[in-house]
Amino acid sequence: MNSDSRVHRPRRGRTLRGSGAKCISLLAIALVSLFAACEPVDEPPAEAPQGEPDLASLEARISVLEAKEEIRSTLLAFAAVVDSADPERLPDLLPSLTDDFVLDAVDFNGQVHHFEGVVEVLTGFGPIMKDADANLMPSAIDVELDGDTAYASFKFANSVKPPPQLDLPVDEKVLLFAANSAVFHKKNGAWKLASFELLHSLAYPGSLAPAP
């Protein structure tokens, strides 16, 4: 076979090597583009969506909720002492009372029993509490905050036998309602009970028989 009759065949190895180089080049370009797209871009922080509270607003709300819970806990602790008819437990409340704490208990005959300071509460209201042997059912406690002062109000349903210290014309157990109001002051980060009024009204038997 002479040279003129040879069939010219393509050089497959060289052609494949050329195609591989082109593919690698294209892959490299694609990777560079991908990495460039993933690079962090300095952008201003996204603002909170309109209508959603910011962090300062949430902290203020939590502070209000914590204050109300602290105040309610103090009043329920006071109610528990009265309900237990154990005046010896009153000193347990000292950390939650102001130094000039005042207690006013108004009986269902309208007589006001006023006590100033823990000592007077212990010596004056303590015996009344013990002899009354009350059974309290406190209602929900409403609390309103006004700066470093707070006002709370709630009610007692109170089954009690009026103690002799009150000199009331009844010697049986009666059912009383008591509209209670309290004032708190915030001192050194804590809410302290400054004054407490219990305004009693007769629920059963409804009215007392006239004195003979």
Side-chain angles (χ1 to χ4, degrees):
M1 183 180 293
N2 56 31
S3 59
D4 293 335
S5 62
R6 290 177 183 172
V7 178
H8 295 283
R9 293 174 182 162
R11 297 179 178 179
R12 296 181 182 277
R14 185 177 297 176
T15 303
L16 288 174
R17 284 197 294 273
S19 300
K22 288 181 181 179
C23 289
I24 291 172
S25 298
L26 290 173
L27 179 61
I29 293 172
L31 288 174
V32 169
S33 301
L34 177 62
F35 290 142
C38 293
E39 293 225 347
V41 179
D42 291 333
E43 294 182 355
E47 296 182 359
Q50 287 286 30
E52 292 189 9
D54 56 20
L55 182 59
S57 176
L58 288 174
E59 289 176 344
R61 292 184 185 183
I62 291 172
S63 179
V64 168
L65 291 174
E66 289 178 340
K68 291 184 175 183
E69 184 62 23
E70 182 180 349
I71 288 167
R72 291 187 179 109
S73 294
T74 297
L75 292 174
L76 289 175
F78 180 87
V81 171
V82 176
D83 192 52
S84 67
D86 185 5
E88 298 302 320
R89 291 175 56 189
L90 278 171
D92 295 342
L93 300 176
L94 279 175
S96 301
L97 306 178
T98 61
D99 294 336
D100 55 352
F101 169 66
V102 173
L103 171 67
D104 287 307
V106 184
D107 64 39
F108 56 80
N109 243 16
Q111 184 177 356
V112 180
H113 304 272
H114 180 77
F115 309 97
E116 293 186 9
V118 176
V119 174
E120 278 197 15
V121 172
L122 278 170
T123 59
F125 184 68
I128 295 173
M129 177 198 311
K130 190 169 184 177
D131 289 338
D133 192 19
N135 299 110
L136 299 181
M137 292 177 287
S139 72
I141 302 172
D142 181 59
V143 180
E144 296 293 335
L145 301 180
D146 185 8
D148 287 341
T149 302
Y151 304 93
S153 60
F154 65 110
K155 293 186 177 181
F156 283 153
N158 189 359
S159 173
V160 60
K161 181 177 180 179
Q165 295 91 338
L166 302 184
D167 194 27
L168 293 169
V170 60
D171 60 358
E172 61 183 344
K173 269 212 165 186
V174 294
L175 179 63
L176 301 178
F177 289 148
N180 308 311
S181 58
V183 178
F184 284 76
H185 296 308
K186 190 175 183 180
K187 296 183 180 293
N188 299 322
W191 288 95
K192 295 184 178 288
L193 180 58
S195 66
F196 193 26
E197 182 187 62
L198 302 92
L199 183 59
H200 293 90
S201 59
L202 188 63
Y204 179 83
S207 62
L208 294 175

